């Protein structure tokens, strides 16, 4: 992969606290902003070298990834990839977001 001049993507969680109950679905959004074009987004877990999930978006859309809150503390980051003129450009990684998992989700 070649690192081009793509801007760093933005990453966010579906809630600001980053605290989830074990078993909760966590939605992580990754966006390249108004960079345009067809791009693939890749979600990474801090301790895993390969993408956990990949999504392809058109235009200035953002990708939404859903992961299961199962580990006590996990950091995630994303990148996006775009093909331009036969070259494969890879963005720098986003900043990390931290997912903290508390005890089990108890249903009444």
């Amino acid at each position: 992969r070649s690192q081009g001049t793509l801007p760093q993507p933005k990453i966010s969680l579906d809630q600001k606290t980053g605290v989830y109950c074990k078993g909760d679905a966590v939605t992580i959004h990754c966006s390249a902003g108004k960079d345009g074009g067809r791009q693939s987004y890749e979600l990474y877990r801090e301790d895993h070298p390969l993408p956990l999930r990949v999504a392809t978006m058109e235009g200035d859309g953002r990708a939404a990834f859903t992961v299961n809150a199962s580990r006590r503390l996990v950091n995630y980051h994303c990148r996006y990839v775009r093909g331009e003129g036969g070259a494969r450009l890879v963005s720098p990684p986003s900043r990390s977001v931290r997912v903290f998992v508390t005890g089990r989700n108890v249903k009444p």
Side-chain angles (χ1 to χ4, degrees):
R1 291 184 175 184
S2 65
Q3 295 249 342
T5 57
L6 298 176
Q8 181 183 42
K10 295 187 178 353
I11 191 169
S12 62
L13 296 172
D14 57 354
Q15 60 155 309
K16 291 185 181 193
T17 65
V19 179
Y20 297 84
C21 291
K22 187 171 185 169
D24 280 353
V26 179
T27 303
I28 302 171
H29 297 279
C30 185
S31 173
K34 298 185 185 279
D35 205 26
R38 182 177 175 87
Q39 50 221 9
S40 295
Y41 290 88
E42 301 173 340
L43 180 69
Y44 292 84
R45 191 176 66 215
E46 67 183 340
D47 60 345
H48 200 272
L50 300 175
L52 295 175
R53 307 263 194 291
V54 177
T56 301
M57 303 297 294
E58 296 283 348
D60 63 352
R62 66 181 182 167
F65 299 97
T66 302
V67 295
N68 190 350
S70 59
R71 296 180 178 207
R72 184 122 179 104
L73 180 64
V74 181
N75 291 320
Y76 293 94
H77 70 272
C78 68
R79 296 177 185 248
Y80 67 102
V81 180
R82 172 162 330 125
E84 274 184 17
R88 181 174 160 90
L89 302 177
V90 180
S91 75
S94 68
R95 68 176 178 80
S96 292
V97 290
R98 178 171 287 177
V99 172
F100 181 75
V101 178
T102 63
R104 296 186 190 280
N105 191 354
V106 178
K107 306 262 185 207

